[in-house]
Amino acid sequence: MPDLAIAEAILSLFTPREVAATIAGDLAEEFSSRSLSRFWPAVLGAAFALCLQQIRRRPYRLLALVSVGLVLTQIAVSGLIPMTLLMALGRQHGLPAQAILSVALNLIGSVGGPLLIGWALARFSPGREMTTCGALALVVASIAFAVGLFGHQTAVTTHFLQGNLVAALLFASYGALKRLRPLTS
Amino acid sequence: MFAPLDTHPDLHYIVVNMSQPSTSGEFEHLVMLAILRLDDNAYGVAIRAEIEKCAEQSVTPGALYTTLDRLTQKGWVDSQVGDPTPIRGGRAKRYYKVTAAGIAAVKASHRALQTMAAGLKIFEAAHA
């Protein structure tokens, strides 16, 4: 018997918990007797289909939320670049206090910014938290990869790339956390 | 700023009869027929098996569950949870029933298909 708790958690990202439990039970009944190797692809396939359905149900609202989230993310990530320069300047001139302040601001910007945006996205898309945060994470990660592939490897682009990847990771995690939190409480 | 519509003689109104039951899509139609055929035993695994057996169509779990969700949203299908069973890791079955609105949609789809197919030579040859 596969670990149904994990399967249920994956499905719960895109559908209510009670529905996820029955789908996980159906898949366990069907595949545990026939072929266990087909169980996980079936779970992931069902989760993907449920995610696409959520996107199809209100595509414009999702698009608007992701677009706004993307703009805010890029502002947050771009805002980190001057902070990085400030930090470098602080190091050059031997100003540890300024450097520490820059690191603190950097952390607040790179972690706090995406968390705030993720919170807003999750709040404005009840029931579709993971889909919205996941979609934004994919877009932001794509930008990061594009910058990594085609951007000149300067301190600024490297920082921009890192900022985007951190933001993408936070968005996906925030969506999953927000979606799964009612299940664990 | 804007004049009422009825002051514009050049504008026409299109009246749509909304009382007609809307028709279901092909896969929705198959799912509802499978539920009706299975009667009291219509849950995910059985519905998939029934469609695969009768319609000879391979059905992915994702397609089935999204369709069941859509049918529930439309009010064509209703569900209730059964008792948990050990073979399913303690997870309950969700039994589906086609509602009166769902039956009307199935009938409308079936009628539409029959009307469209009536008189076509390809079907006459098949029956001959």
Side-chain angles (χ1 to χ4, degrees):
Chain A
M1 177 73 71
D3 191 341
L4 287 190
I6 296 174
E8 198 179 318
I10 292 169
L11 292 163
S12 297
L13 293 173
F14 306 105
T15 193
R17 185 188 190 180
E18 59 275 13
V19 178
T22 53
I23 295 175
D26 280 354
L27 297 177
E29 182 185 332
E30 192 162 3
F31 293 111
S32 61
S33 58
R34 290 201 321 201
S35 166
L36 201 62
S37 62
R38 285 177 60 194
F39 175 78
W40 290 109
V43 169
L44 294 177
F48 184 67
L50 290 165
C51 176
L52 284 184
Q53 190 183 39
Q54 286 191 354
I55 294 171
R56 275 199 297 263
R57 200 160 274 166
R58 294 184 81 176
Y60 299 116
R61 185 175 170 81
L62 185 81
L63 187 69
L65 281 173
V66 171
S67 304
V68 171
L70 179 65
V71 170
L72 292 174
T73 306
Q74 295 317 307
I75 291 169
V77 170
S78 307
L80 299 180
I81 296 165
M83 287 183 206
T84 313
L85 294 175
L86 192 71
M87 191 169 70
L89 211 68
R91 275 209 201 107
Q92 267 185 359
H93 294 281
L95 299 169
Q98 198 177 3
I100 290 163
L101 180 73
S102 300
V103 170
L105 286 172
N106 211 336
L107 272 174
I108 292 166
S110 60
V111 178
L115 278 181
L116 197 68
I117 297 163
W119 171 82
L121 285 182
R123 189 175 159 77
F124 286 108
S125 54
R128 295 179 179 81
E129 294 90 349
M130 185 57 193
T131 305
T132 316
C133 289
L136 182 62
L138 278 175
V139 173
V140 170
S142 305
I143 289 172
F145 280 113
V147 169
L149 282 175
F150 304 112
H152 299 291
Q153 290 300 313
T154 62
V156 172
T157 53
T158 305
H159 196 85
F160 187 75
L161 189 148
Q162 285 169 350
N164 270 294
L165 284 178
V166 168
L169 192 70
L170 284 167
F171 287 137
S173 311
Y174 194 87
L177 191 75
K178 187 82 181 162
R179 191 80 195 133
L180 294 175
R181 200 176 59 175
L183 311 183
T184 51
S185 60
Chain B
M1 190 192 308
F2 295 109
L5 279 176
D6 56 4
T7 61
H8 289 266
D10 52 328
L11 288 178
H12 302 279
Y13 292 92
I14 298 169
V15 179
V16 180
N17 185 359
M18 297 297 284
S19 63
Q20 290 283 336
S22 51
T23 56
S24 56
E26 186 195 348
F27 191 61
E28 290 177 345
H29 193 71
L30 282 178
V31 171
M32 285 197 285
L33 286 177
I35 295 171
L36 288 167
R37 286 173 68 87
L38 289 162
D39 200 19
D40 285 340
N41 192 36
Y43 71 104
V45 178
I47 296 169
R48 268 189 73 192
E50 189 71 11
I51 295 171
E52 288 184 350
K53 188 182 82 180
C54 297
E56 295 175 356
Q57 271 190 25
S58 170
V59 180
T60 61
L64 177 67
Y65 295 117
T66 52
T67 304
L68 286 170
D69 183 54
R70 199 165 54 246
L71 291 172
T72 309
Q73 291 276 326
K74 286 180 178 178
W76 290 353
V77 155
D78 203 5
S79 68
Q80 62 179 52
V81 180
D83 295 324
T85 52
I87 193 173
R88 299 163 57 84
R91 267 68 177 180
K93 289 177 184 174
R94 181 172 291 273
Y95 292 102
Y96 293 91
K97 278 247 177 257
V98 180
T99 61
I103 289 171
V106 168
K107 282 181 178 173
S109 288
H110 198 67
R111 248 195 326 268
L113 279 175
Q114 280 182 326
T115 310
M116 291 295 288
L120 286 179
K121 282 178 185 167
I122 52 160
F123 294 111
E124 284 169 11
H127 290 300

